[in-house]
Amino acid sequence: MWPLFKKELISFFASITGYLIIVSFLIINGLFLWVIPGYLNILDMGYSSLNSFFTIAPLVFLFLVPAITMKMFAEEKKIGTLDLILAKPISDLEIVLAKFFASLMLVFASLLPTLIYYITIYFISFPIGNIDTGGIIGSYIGLFFLASAYISISLFSSVITDNQILAFLGGAFLCFFFYFAFDTVAELPFLKPISFYVYKLGINEHYKSLSRGVIDSRDIIYFISFDAFFLLITKLKLTSRKWN
């Protein structure tokens, strides 16, 4: 698994794609947080908080994460290299996990430079350091787990097609669905008695819970289980291709 993980990671940074994704993430967030006037602009808010970033980032990841993973399986199926990988002495699960962790490392690399936002707010706040550091740490943990859920979904989208564009669109749609759909469905009048449980099925509810700075084991278990489910069905799809 380790050689494949390294191969995927190197392939990201051997081309302009990996850098382009990281730069795009930083530019989009930076524009909303510091340049474009409005309620998301940190300078316009008038208080020391990174809430705007943790509101914008999940929406940006809706598109960037599928862009990261769209070629993971789709391109390799199209050019035939996936069959070569499947023929090697490595299990299907290890293949899926290698691609999952490589994508997760790229997301981590895109989040790391955003610490400059925290440092900036820390020093421009009055008095200096008047910022909820614990809440921000919890929000970063929540954002990382949310990105992992997006990655597991998008890998599944990539494994079911050999077209990168379809893999991207499918991944973006499924990420959008699991982030927003359950909140919308829970508001339906006839579901009011069980709306609490419907909310809990969606990614957004657990992300918001972690973003409050409270690391609840139930939210962590939800994200781990969510990832495991999509990685499992991705592995099953990969196995079915091998047998075919």
Side-chain angles (χ1 to χ4, degrees):
M1 186 178 98
W2 176 244
L4 183 57
F5 168 80
K6 288 196 297 183
K7 168 190 166 294
E8 294 294 345
L9 209 53
I10 291 170
S11 71
F12 276 132
F13 295 104
S15 67
I16 197 173
T17 305
Y19 300 100
L20 197 61
I21 288 171
I22 293 174
V23 170
S24 298
F25 179 73
L26 296 175
I27 289 176
I28 294 170
N29 282 290
L31 286 174
F32 278 103
L33 295 178
W34 304 101
V35 179
I36 300 173
Y39 71 97
L40 293 174
N41 189 296
I42 291 173
L43 300 176
D44 288 345
M45 283 193 302
Y47 57 92
S48 306
S49 172
L50 266 181
N51 288 343
S52 296
F53 170 67
F54 295 112
T55 299
I56 299 167
L59 305 180
V60 179
F61 273 150
L62 276 174
F63 301 98
L64 288 191
V65 169
I68 292 171
T69 60
M70 65 181 183
K71 69 172 187 175
M72 285 291 192
F73 290 107
E75 183 183 37
E76 297 210 16
K77 286 165 68 177
K78 187 173 183 179
I79 64 178
T81 54
L82 183 59
D83 293 324
L84 295 175
I85 295 174
L86 290 173
K88 292 183 180 296
I90 179 173
S91 70
D92 297 342
L93 182 59
E94 288 177 320
I95 294 172
V96 173
L97 289 177
K99 293 179 179 291
F100 174 77
F101 286 118
S103 302
L104 208 54
M105 282 300 296
L106 188 58
V107 166
F108 179 76
S110 69
L111 286 176
L112 207 54
T114 65
L115 290 176
I116 194 66
Y117 301 155
Y118 167 77
I119 295 170
T120 302
I121 296 175
Y122 184 91
F123 284 104
I124 67 173
S125 61
F126 183 81
I128 291 177
N130 183 28
I131 185 171
D132 183 8
T133 300
I136 288 175
I137 292 172
S139 296
Y140 267 110
I141 293 172
L143 188 57
F144 187 73
F145 274 108
L146 178 133
S148 75
Y150 284 176
I151 290 169
S152 62
I153 292 170
S154 300
L155 282 176
F156 171 70
S157 179
S158 181
V159 82
I160 60 176
T161 180
D162 60 1
N163 186 303
Q164 289 188 57
I165 303 301
L166 290 178
F168 170 78
L169 294 175
F173 172 78
L174 287 173
C175 290
F176 180 89
F177 176 84
F178 281 100
Y179 188 74
F180 286 110
F182 290 97
D183 289 359
T184 304
V185 171
E187 294 297 322
L188 295 175
F190 65 91
L191 289 178
K192 283 295 181 182
I194 58 169
S195 61
F196 172 81
Y197 302 101
V198 178
Y199 277 122
K200 288 296 182 182
L201 291 174
I203 294 174
N204 187 30
E205 186 68 16
H206 295 275
Y207 171 66
K208 287 192 298 184
S209 177
L210 289 171
S211 295
R212 298 186 188 104
V214 179
I215 309 302
D216 192 326
S217 60
R218 290 171 296 183
D219 299 317
I220 304 297
I221 291 170
Y222 169 85
F223 279 112
I224 292 174
S225 302
F226 190 97
D227 293 347
F229 172 75
F230 272 96
L231 293 177
L232 176 61
I233 59 176
T234 300
K235 180 261 181 189
L236 292 174
K237 178 61 180 176
L238 197 61
T239 302
S240 70
R241 174 183 173 83
K242 180 189 290 187
W243 285 110
N244 288 337

